[in-house]
Amino acid sequence: MRNAIKAVSLVLSFVFSSCTAKEKPVVKEEFKERIKVKVKEGMEVATFAGGCFWCTEAVFLEIKGVEKVVSGYIGGKTINPTYKEICTGETGHAEAIQITFNPNEVAYEDLLEVFFGTHDPTTLNRQGADVGTQYRSEIFYHSEAQKTKAENYIQLLDKEKLYDKKIVTKVSSATIFYPAEDYHQNYYNQNSSQGYCQMVIAPKLEKLRKYYKSKLK
């Protein structure tokens, strides 16, 4: 796991294409109560923000035990935000994905491993050339168990010193998740020839398939 995360993270640190313009910094509104998400019996939900959701969605769609991945917005103060609105940097939302998964097929810890291995958790409000608070690294937990597992995993990464810089990933209680516009869903699979997909997403998927082969569908 150590070698996989470090190798993938080093490769992904060199990204030169952006999926949108830079944003102004915003102050995130804090919420204390988690939002309950209805899922089929036996299924669970995980919500991660790790840069452009086109990338994170493409990664987790390939993971065994993942039933569904929805791109959307979370952690802000505007009700029903649009993509255009979050790109102003004034709503406080993060681009995120909500993952419905079968815990009998893939553990939450496995999802955490893939999450940290396929984005840079040491850059504040930034992933490569994508800069702005909506590109922040944040885990939104749906239970105390998820909170504990996420915090313990970050402590493990820090202890093992897998990164040269401090991990800035926040662990926050899940708030209302707003699904993004339809054209954002399954973006890579429908736009794989697009420039950003070729330059940024395709290399991530290539490394995912190399280092996490046992976790793929």
Side-chain angles (χ1 to χ4, degrees):
M1 184 268 284
R2 178 191 178 99
N3 292 335
I5 289 181
K6 195 163 188 176
V8 176
S9 299
L10 287 173
V11 172
L12 298 182
S13 64
F14 299 99
V15 178
F16 302 97
S17 181
S18 172
C19 73
T20 192
K22 294 182 178 180
E23 281 100 59
K24 297 178 291 183
V26 301
V27 177
K28 180 190 168 191
E29 181 178 335
E30 296 293 339
F31 296 81
K32 295 183 178 180
E33 294 187 8
R34 292 186 295 281
I35 302 298
K36 293 183 179 180
V37 180
K38 293 183 178 180
V39 294
K40 294 190 302 184
E41 185 176 353
M43 306 297 285
E44 294 183 14
V45 171
T47 304
F48 299 143
C52 179
F53 48 28
W54 297 344
C55 298
T56 49
E57 177 196 58
V59 166
F60 282 94
L61 279 173
E62 298 208 358
I63 301 301
K64 181 169 50 181
V66 169
E67 180 186 73
K68 181 173 66 173
V69 182
V70 178
S71 293
Y73 317 116
I74 190 172
K77 60 183 183 294
T78 301
I79 297 174
N80 292 318
T82 64
Y83 185 65
K84 183 177 181 180
E85 287 174 330
I86 71 151
C87 284
T88 66
E90 297 178 354
T91 75
H93 291 86
E95 288 193 18
I97 55 169
Q98 194 157 89
I99 305 163
T100 301
F101 67 99
N102 185 339
N104 293 320
E105 296 183 32
V106 59
Y108 185 72
E109 291 89 341
D110 291 327
L111 298 180
L112 289 172
E113 181 181 347
V114 173
F115 173 67
F116 280 102
T118 53
H119 87 295
D120 185 351
T122 70
T123 52
L124 184 64
N125 301 327
R126 178 173 191 156
Q127 287 297 306
D130 292 326
V131 181
T133 55
Q134 80 270 27
Y135 298 118
R136 62 185 181 267
S137 177
E138 190 162 3
I139 296 168
F140 295 89
Y141 59 87
H142 294 269
S143 67
E144 288 302 313
Q146 286 190 355
K147 178 177 184 287
T148 299
K149 290 175 182 178
E151 291 174 340
N152 288 345
Y153 198 84
I154 292 173
Q155 290 176 9
L156 174 63
L157 295 178
D158 283 333
K159 181 179 179 180
E160 295 293 324
K161 300 186 184 304
L162 295 182
Y163 300 96
D164 295 330
K165 299 178 182 178
K166 178 181 175 59
I167 293 175
V168 298
T169 304
K170 293 186 64 177
V171 178
S172 307
S173 178
T175 57
I176 297 176
F177 179 87
Y178 298 99
E181 294 83 346
D182 288 345
Y183 70 90
H184 288 299
Q185 309 302 330
N186 199 27
Y187 189 87
Y188 175 77
N189 290 327
Q190 297 187 63
N191 301 274
S192 59
S193 62
Q194 191 247 28
Y196 184 86
C197 293
Q198 289 290 311
M199 295 179 67
V200 181
I201 304 178
K204 285 196 176 191
L205 293 178
E206 182 179 336
K207 298 304 175 183
L208 174 77
R209 292 161 187 164
K210 178 178 180 180
Y211 292 105
Y212 298 100
K213 188 174 182 179
S214 65
K215 301 183 189 301
L216 304 182
K217 294 177 179 176

